Amino acid sequence: MEKTRKTNRYRHVTHSITFSLLLIVAGLAFLGFNLGYISTSYKDIIFSWPMLIIVWGIFAFCNSNFRQGVLLLIVGGFFIVPRIANVCPGLCLLTVVILFIFTGQCYLLLLVCFSLFIG
């Protein structure tokens, strides 16, 4: 009983800290846009629904839901690649090359190329 109570309290504290950090990062991003430190062209990438899915996947991955986290990261990454390609095409090509070098998996390369073709 005591162990369950400590585990639930630890999860509550972890979720509170994570949510607080997320709000601080979002506030800093808005401040960077308003002060001109971050280009407004990146606003479509940072504040978009694919980025929300990616953040959700990171939280799921950190909470030991590995399958759900990886699935959400793949789906969010699939839909955010065309947005990144519109803003800075060189970065998208660099991402494809890095994915291929580090994973050695051709299906990731095909997934990114297909995402670019659709977007």
Side-chain angles (χ1 to χ4, degrees):
M1 175 92 170
E2 184 68 27
K3 188 175 183 179
T4 306
R5 192 176 288 166
K6 285 182 181 179
T7 304
N8 288 339
R9 184 170 182 197
Y10 175 75
R11 285 184 181 171
H12 177 70
V13 170
T14 304
H15 291 302
S16 298
I17 290 171
T18 306
F19 184 70
S20 301
L21 288 175
L22 180 66
L23 285 177
I24 290 170
V25 168
L28 288 173
F30 274 122
L31 187 65
F33 287 129
N34 289 335
L35 294 177
Y37 292 128
I38 302 173
S39 174
T40 55
S41 61
Y42 295 118
K43 201 172 200 177
D44 291 338
I45 297 171
I46 295 173
F47 298 108
S48 63
W49 66 269
M51 186 60 76
L52 185 65
I53 292 175
I54 289 172
V55 170
W56 186 14
I58 291 170
F59 285 141
F61 195 76
C62 291
N63 288 330
S64 299
N65 295 332
F66 298 114
R67 287 184 183 170
Q68 181 183 9
V70 168
L71 180 67
L72 288 170
L73 287 171
I74 289 172
V75 169
F78 178 78
F79 286 108
I80 207 163
V81 166
R83 291 175 187 240
I84 294 172
N86 286 338
V87 173
C88 44
L91 180 66
C92 197
L93 181 62
L94 179 68
T95 305
V96 170
V97 171
I98 289 173
L99 276 175
F100 185 68
I101 289 172
F102 284 118
T103 62
Q105 311 256 334
C106 291
Y107 69 89
L108 288 174
L109 183 66
L110 291 173
L111 181 71
V112 171
C113 291
F114 182 69
S115 175
L116 287 172
F117 179 71
I118 288 185

